[in-house]
Amino acid sequence: MIDSSLKTEGIFFSPGGEKRFIEISISPIVFEDKIEGYIFGISDITTRKQLEQELLKFEKFETINRLAGGVAHDLNNLLAVLFNYLSLIKLNISNNKKEDCIKFIQKIENTLNRAKYLSSQLLSLSKEGVPIKEPHDLEELIKDVAEFCFSGTPIKYNIIFQNPVRNILIDPQQMAQVFQNIFINAREAMPDGGKVNIEVSLKKLKHEEIPPLLEGDYVEIKISDTGLGIPPSILPNIFEPFFTTKEEGTGLGLAIAYQIIKKHGGNIIAENNPQGGAIFKIYLPYLIKDEPVEGKKSTPSLEISKKHYRILIIDDEEELRDSLLFLLSEMGYEVDTADNGKEGIEKYYKALKENNPFHVVITDYVLPDIKGDKVVAELKTIDPNAKVILSTGYTGIDVTSNYKNYGFSGILIKPYTFETLIQTIERTLSNS
Ligand SMILES: Nc1ncnc2c1ncn2[C@@H]1O[C@H](COP(=O)(O)OP(=O)(O)OP(=O)(O)O)[C@@H](O)[C@H]1O
Ligand SMILES: [Mg+2]
C-alpha cells in the first residue's frame, strides 16, 4: 500500500499585509504500485476559515444565550418573590402583625436559599467549583436528599447500604446536588408514583472495568427507578449540557452531576433496567480519612452569647462588612472591621499590643491590596495562635480546597447562612 496524501494548513501574509489561510496538500501519483511523482496543491481557504470561525462564534453565543436566558428567567422569578414578600412585610409592620411578618421572613429565607442553589449549580458547571472535600457520612447525606426530594410525593424509596460509608472524602454540598438532580429526574419520570432503589456498596474495580477509572477501591451508588426508562436513542446524549426532552427542563441537571462526579475523580453511567426504568451508577474513589465525622449540625439559637469574644472582619464589600457587623454584634460579639488587608493586619497588631486581642479574624480572599493568603501568613507571623477564617466566593483556587495548609482555621463559602457563620466561628473558638 502506498501512503496516502498529506494535508496541512498555514497562515500566509500577502504583500499588502493581508492575512490569508492556505491549505497545502501533497498527494503521490501511483502507477502499478510505484510512486511516480507527487502533486503539490496550494489553495486559499480564507473564506472557508472565516465561515468556520463565524459558526463557532455563533455556537458559543447560542450556548451563552440559552444559559443567560435560563438563569435570568429563574433569577427574575426569585427576585419577584423577594420583592412581594418585602412589600408584605412593610404592610404588616404598619398593621402591627408580627406573626405574619415572621412567616414572610421565613419565606424570604427559603427563596434566598433557592437563589443560592441556582448560583451553586452554575458554579459547578464552571472552571470554578473545585470540590472542597471533607470526610462525610454518605448514608446521612443520601437520606437527607431523598427525604427532601420524595417526601410528599407518591414515590417510595429504599436505601440499602451494603457497607457503611461514614468518612468518605467528598464535597457534601456538591454531592447533595448530584443526588438531588438524579432524584428529581426520577420523580419527574414517575409522575403517578413508583419506586426508587438506592444501593450503596464497595467495589474493587479492575483496569478498564469502568473506563476511564483506574484500578482501585470505589463506592458504587446505584439508583434505579420504575419509570419508563431512557429511550436508547437519547442515552448517549443525556449528560450533554442543555440536552432535555422536557418542556420546562433546562437540560443542566445531569450535565452538572457529570461535572461534579468527574471533579471527584469518579464516573457516572446511565442504563436501562431490562425490567423497566432507568439506572444511574455513580463511582466515587473510596478515599477515607480516619478522623471523626462531625455529627449533624445543629441550628444555633439566637440566644445572645454571654462570652466576650472579639472578631475582626476584613472585607472590601461595604454592605457585606456592615451586615456582618450588625449580625455579630447582635449575637454579643465585639466586632471591628477593616476594608483592606494592611488595615486589618495593623488593627490586629495594635489590639494584640494593647492586650485586647481579636479571638477570630474573618477575611475575604480578594482584597484591594493583598490576597487573603498573605493576610493569614502575616497574622501568623505576628501571632502564631491567630485564628483566621477565609471567607470567599472563589472555589476554583487551591487556597479554597486546601485552606488549612495556608494556615486558615476555617472557611466560609459565600453566600453562607447565619447558621453556617455562627457554627464556623464557634468551631474555630472551641479549637483554641
Ligand atoms: N430517570 C430518568 N428516566 C427517564 N429519562 C431520564 C431520567 N433522567 C434523565 N432522563 C432524560 O435525560 C434528559 C436530561 O436530564 P437532565 O436532568 O440533564 O435535564 P432535565 O431534567 O431535562 O432538565 P433540568 O434537570 O435542567 O430541569 C431528560 O430530559 C430526560 O429525557
Ligand atoms: Mg433534570
Side-chain angles (χ1 to χ4, degrees):
M1 260 258 314
I2 302 296
D3 206 1
S4 55
S5 51
L6 280 174
K7 246 186 206 170
T8 183
E9 287 179 8
I11 294 173
F12 169 82
F13 287 92
S14 72
E18 194 194 346
K19 186 175 166 186
R20 308 295 300 179
F21 290 92
I22 50 165
E23 187 178 81
I24 304 166
S25 60
I26 308 169
S27 317
I29 304 167
V30 183
F31 184 70
E32 289 181 348
D33 269 359
K34 270 173 70 190
I35 298 177
E36 299 288 341
Y38 290 92
I39 300 174
F40 287 83
I42 298 179
S43 29
D44 186 327
I45 54 164
T46 308
T47 314
R48 194 183 87 200
K49 273 281 175 208
Q50 281 166 346
L51 281 174
E52 276 172 12
Q53 279 169 2
E54 277 305 307
L55 190 68
L56 205 68
K57 246 193 269 171
F58 176 77
E59 280 170 358
K60 274 189 188 160
F61 273 110
E62 260 291 289
T63 314
I64 289 175
N65 282 346
R66 282 162 81 173
L67 185 62
V71 174
H73 174 262
D74 289 355
L75 197 63
N76 276 339
N77 277 345
L78 295 174
L79 290 174
V81 175
L82 289 175
F83 277 123
N84 289 345
Y85 282 122
L86 277 175
S87 308
L88 277 165
I89 290 173
K90 277 192 203 158
L91 281 172
N92 281 283
I93 280 183
S94 47
N95 295 340
N96 258 334
K97 288 188 186 160
K98 192 177 159 199
E99 293 291 309
D100 282 348
C101 285
I102 294 175
K103 200 170 75 197
F104 297 136
I105 289 170
Q106 185 60 48
K107 296 268 189 201
I108 287 182
E109 209 173 334
N110 295 347
T111 313
L112 286 173
N113 273 326
R114 282 173 53 202
K116 181 185 166 192
Y117 180 68
L118 179 71
S119 96
S120 67
Q121 291 264 50
L122 287 172
L123 263 185
S124 358
L125 263 187
S126 74
K127 268 209 305 291
E128 301 240 339
V130 172
I132 301 169
K133 293 184 198 160
E134 53 185 70
H136 207 85
D137 183 344
L138 195 62
E139 195 165 341
E140 186 187 296
L141 187 131
I142 294 179
K143 276 186 182 152
D144 283 353
V145 181
E147 170 71 20
F148 173 73
C149 294
F150 300 127
S151 67
T153 73
I155 293 166
K156 298 213 176 330
Y157 67 91
N158 186 29
I159 308 175
I160 304 166
F161 265 77
Q162 309 281 13
N163 315 79
V165 187
R166 300 235 182 275
N167 46 3
I168 182 166
L169 277 179
I170 50 169
D171 181 320
Q173 279 182 12
Q174 290 196 355
M175 283 310 297
Q177 217 172 85
V178 170
F179 295 122
Q180 183 165 333
N181 293 354
I182 293 175
F183 293 166
I184 287 176
N185 280 346
R187 200 173 77 189
E188 288 168 348
M190 302 182 289
D192 302 322
K195 209 165 171 232
V196 173
N197 262 316
I198 304 149
E199 236 180 288
V200 183
S201 51
L202 298 183
K203 287 260 144 92
K204 251 191 194 322
L205 291 186
K206 290 195 219 56
H207 178 59
E208 294 201 334
E209 196 174 332
I210 310 278
L213 298 184
L214 302 173
E215 188 178 316
D217 292 325
Y218 290 83
V219 179
E220 183 194 74
I221 306 139
K222 185 173 154 193
I223 303 155
S224 35
D225 64 48
T226 54
L228 290 177
I230 306 163
S233 59
I234 68 161
L235 206 49
N237 309 102
I238 59 168
F239 293 105
E240 286 169 14
F242 303 112
F243 180 84
T244 181
T245 54
K246 299 170 193 168
E247 222 159 85
E248 294 276 296
T250 52
L252 286 179
L254 287 179
I256 287 165
Y258 181 85
Q259 282 276 348
I260 294 175
I261 299 292
K262 286 280 160 179
K263 283 180 191 166
H264 275 78
N267 202 1
I268 175 168
I269 46 183
E271 56 195 38
N272 280 309
N273 191 340
Q275 277 94 51
I279 301 178
F280 285 87
K281 286 184 189 161
I282 296 171
Y283 295 90
L284 291 174
Y286 189 43
L287 300 171
I288 54 168
K289 204 165 194 180
D290 285 331
E291 66 180 53
V293 176
E294 279 161 28
K296 257 200 166 136
K297 290 167 183 166
S298 61
T299 310
S301 65
L302 260 168
E303 197 185 305
I304 309 251
S305 167
K306 310 274 179 307
K307 287 165 258 155
H308 182 77
Y309 284 119
R310 286 174 37 82
I311 298 180
L312 176 65
I313 297 158
I314 311 175
D315 204 306
D316 58 332
E317 173 66 42
E318 192 182 349
E319 289 296 337
L320 189 73
R321 215 168 49 226
D322 287 353
S323 57
L324 274 178
L325 174 75
F326 291 136
L327 198 58
L328 292 174
S329 306
E330 197 68 30
M331 286 294 293
Y333 293 109
E334 194 185 318
V335 188
D336 199 353
T337 61
D339 61 14
N340 63 67
K342 294 229 166 79
E343 186 194 346
I345 294 164
E346 272 161 27
K347 282 198 173 182
Y348 190 93
Y349 180 72
K350 193 162 171 274
L352 194 70
K353 280 263 155 217
E354 289 168 358
N355 233 349
N356 190 21
F358 288 104
H359 300 90
V360 176
V361 178
I362 301 174
T363 181
D364 188 14
Y365 182 67
V366 180
L367 292 160
D369 50 353
I370 48 175
K371 296 247 160 66
D373 47 355
K374 184 105 169 88
V375 174
V376 73
E378 297 227 358
L379 290 179
K380 287 277 186 188
T381 320
I382 297 168
D383 172 15
N385 294 321
K387 298 272 174 280
V388 190
I389 296 171
L390 174 66
S391 151
T392 179
Y394 290 89
T395 52
I397 45 180
D398 186 59
V399 61
T400 328
S401 311
N402 299 307
Y403 64 91
K404 281 192 181 154
N405 295 351
Y406 288 79
F408 290 105
S409 309
I411 189 162
L412 286 162
I413 302 289
K414 292 175 188 170
Y416 42 81
T417 59
F418 165 70
E419 282 82 3
T420 310
L421 169 69
I422 299 301
Q423 271 156 2
T424 311
I425 293 174
E426 282 178 358
R427 210 177 303 139
T428 306
L429 284 170
S430 63
N431 287 342
S432 308

